[in-house]
Amino acid sequence: MNEGDELVNIGHINQYLYCPRRYYYINYFDTIEMNFYLKDGQLKHQNQSRRGGWIRELYLKSEKLGIHGKIDVLESKNIKSVGTTLTPIERKRGSSYHDNDEVQLAAYCMLLEDYLDEPVRMGYLYLFGTNERYAITITDWHREKVLQVVQAIRNMTLDNIPEFVDNPNKCEKCSTVQYCLPEETKMLEEEDAKKVRRERNE
């Protein structure tokens, strides 16, 4: 983290889980660039529907959890036996979601939980690609993962660049690929390894 930062932005939890190396470049070198996927996602957020019963972009922070962030949408419902319930909705541009999206949603649920001082056990992932939302039950695994990633981000340092992710397909959509240079870096590492082997055999 940058010096002086105390709370982890929940959006960064998703970035870190997608690829710690990507987050490293964004955090320390401010290298995020506007590519098609980022711009498309921004436009979809801006063109959201204006349904009633929604609270939009609520910013919260929690010193106890060490996180802060802006919840995209909160759905407000009045249930006779319970009263008013607030359910976080996180919007994504694609037609599928992944574990990192669930963990990000869980972090928002935990943040809201801390703010309301009452359990928030479920949230929704809304996908623009399918125009549907999916109910996600927040489990102990989600909660533990949030805390693990927050600690991992806090432990990051400028001197230690994370390894590349195992899935090279992630690099194709990455907005920091021009700085990370995965293919070029791997080629140089292979050349260095060959050089070391040659020197050992001489």
Side-chain angles (χ1 to χ4, degrees), residues 45-91:
H45 275 69
Q46 290 169 8
N47 296 329
Q48 62 183 303
S49 64
R50 297 296 176 185
R51 249 178 87 174
W54 283 4
I55 300 169
R56 293 174 182 84
E57 298 188 336
L58 176 66
Y59 174 81
L60 297 172
K61 65 179 181 178
S62 169
E63 300 288 345
K64 182 176 75 175
L65 297 170
I67 56 178
H68 71 114
K70 189 184 292 183
I71 301 174
D72 274 350
V73 178
L74 277 172
E75 184 176 58
S76 177
K77 284 186 177 180
N78 282 315
I79 302 173
K80 284 186 177 180
S81 59
V82 179
T84 301
T85 63
L86 295 173
T87 306
I89 303 172
E90 174 65 15
R91 297 166 296 168

Side-chain angles (χ1 to χ4, degrees), residues 182-199:
E183 293 183 7
E184 294 83 351
T185 302
K186 288 176 182 177
M187 288 174 61
L188 288 172
E189 288 175 349
E190 289 175 3
E191 288 298 319
D192 287 342
K194 289 178 182 177
K195 182 179 179 181
V196 169
R197 286 196 294 270
R198 284 197 301 269
E199 290 175 349

Side-chain angles (χ1 to χ4, degrees), residues 57-142:
E57 298 188 336
L58 176 66
Y59 174 81
L60 297 172
K61 65 179 181 178
S62 169
E63 300 288 345
K64 182 176 75 175
L65 297 170
I67 56 178
H68 71 114
K70 189 184 292 183
I71 301 174
D72 274 350
V73 178
L74 277 172
E75 184 176 58
S76 177
K77 284 186 177 180
N78 282 315
I79 302 173
K80 284 186 177 180
S81 59
V82 179
T84 301
T85 63
L86 295 173
T87 306
I89 303 172
E90 174 65 15
R91 297 166 296 168
K92 298 296 177 183
R93 66 170 298 278
S95 56
S96 61
Y97 62 88
H98 306 280
D99 284 350
N100 51 309
D101 300 316
E102 289 191 23
V103 174
Q104 180 183 9
L105 177 64
Y108 285 126
C109 289
M110 293 166 67
L111 192 59
L112 183 62
E113 209 171 52
D114 186 58
Y115 174 73
L116 297 174
D117 196 25
E118 60 185 50
V120 179
R121 298 187 176 93
M122 189 196 75
Y124 291 104
L125 286 171
Y126 170 80
L127 304 182
F128 286 102
T130 62
N131 194 29
E132 292 182 354
R133 65 181 189 175
Y134 303 84
I136 307 296
T137 300
I138 307 306
T139 66
D140 289 343
W141 177 84
H142 290 109

